[in-house]
Amino acid sequence: MRSTAFVWRWRRNPLRRRTDVIEAWAGVVAVVLMLLVGPAVGWITGSLAHEALQEAVQVQHRHRHLVSATAVRSVSGGSDGTDHESSAGREGYRRVLAHWRGRDGRQHSGLVAVRQAARPGERFPLWTDDRGEVAGRPMDGATAGVHAALAGLGSAAAAAGLLEGVRRLFVWRLVQRRFARWDRAWHRAGHTWGRADAGS
């Protein structure tokens, strides 16, 4: 039905209005812009995001270090804020009090989250920053690539949605003007409706 209406706007016939042709052209222009602008915006956004994320990956790998920590005891209760960027809030993780030696050689201790319960004296790997504080696992290149691709796809979809929104707004304004012309025509016709000499 929609395709029939679209074709009807292009065919020459006495019922076709100028606004019908404009509406059809608006649809064509919107589709062409979606096919050209959408992928371009997605590619640019994805490329910029990929470059920024790869730089973040390099920085994280340069400033985060894997050390060996020793569990002291298990801890139950809420976070005291010492294990930022850790996974303590995720299901399946346990909180333990642990000691570890930072990259600078100093001893550190604090609450950390481990995937499995660690017995006292048991050693486990722990990511720390340059100061020896607990840090999250650094992002890898593959994850950065996935995030960049998602950013590109999202921006391409957003650009296409914006163009479709502009087209719909343009068509809505076109229809409003069409209705206004009809109202004026009916108003003029109302003064002569039913008169024998009005030619109606």
Side-chain angles (χ1 to χ4, degrees), residues 84-200:
H84 59 87
E85 296 190 73
S86 71
S87 306
R90 291 194 218 159
E91 186 178 354
Y93 280 80
R94 308 285 182 141
R95 297 172 59 77
V96 299
L97 178 64
H99 297 303
W100 66 91
R101 185 181 297 276
R103 188 175 178 84
D104 57 2
R106 291 190 303 167
Q107 286 287 342
H108 298 267
S109 64
L111 296 177
V112 297
V114 294
R115 186 178 294 275
Q116 296 177 346
R119 296 186 300 273
E122 186 176 349
R123 301 182 71 82
F124 59 92
L126 180 68
W127 285 99
T128 63
D129 59 17
D130 291 333
R131 298 174 301 174
E133 301 294 332
V134 177
R137 177 191 297 272
M139 187 188 309
D140 57 48
T143 302
V146 170
H147 286 312
L150 291 176
L153 289 173
S155 61
L162 179 62
L163 288 170
E164 175 61 13
V166 170
R167 184 196 70 83
R168 287 176 180 267
L169 180 62
F170 176 77
V171 170
W172 178 80
R173 289 289 301 156
L174 205 62
V175 170
Q176 294 300 311
R177 292 178 59 185
R178 183 187 302 161
F179 287 161
R181 282 197 297 270
W182 284 354
D183 288 341
R184 289 194 296 269
W186 275 109
H187 183 69
R188 287 193 300 270
H191 294 296
T192 60
W193 191 264
R195 287 172 46 185
D197 60 344
S200 56

Side-chain angles (χ1 to χ4, degrees), residues 7-55:
V7 172
W8 177 81
R9 289 189 177 98
W10 292 101
R11 287 171 42 195
R12 291 187 175 276
N13 65 74
L15 297 178
R16 187 186 68 177
R17 298 157 296 197
R18 183 170 175 267
T19 54
D20 293 324
V21 178
I22 295 175
E23 185 176 344
W25 273 111
V28 171
V29 170
V31 169
V32 171
L33 287 176
M34 285 180 195
L35 294 176
L36 295 177
V37 175
V41 169
W43 176 263
I44 292 172
T45 303
S47 298
L48 292 175
H50 186 266
E51 183 178 340
L53 288 170
Q54 289 299 332
E55 184 176 343

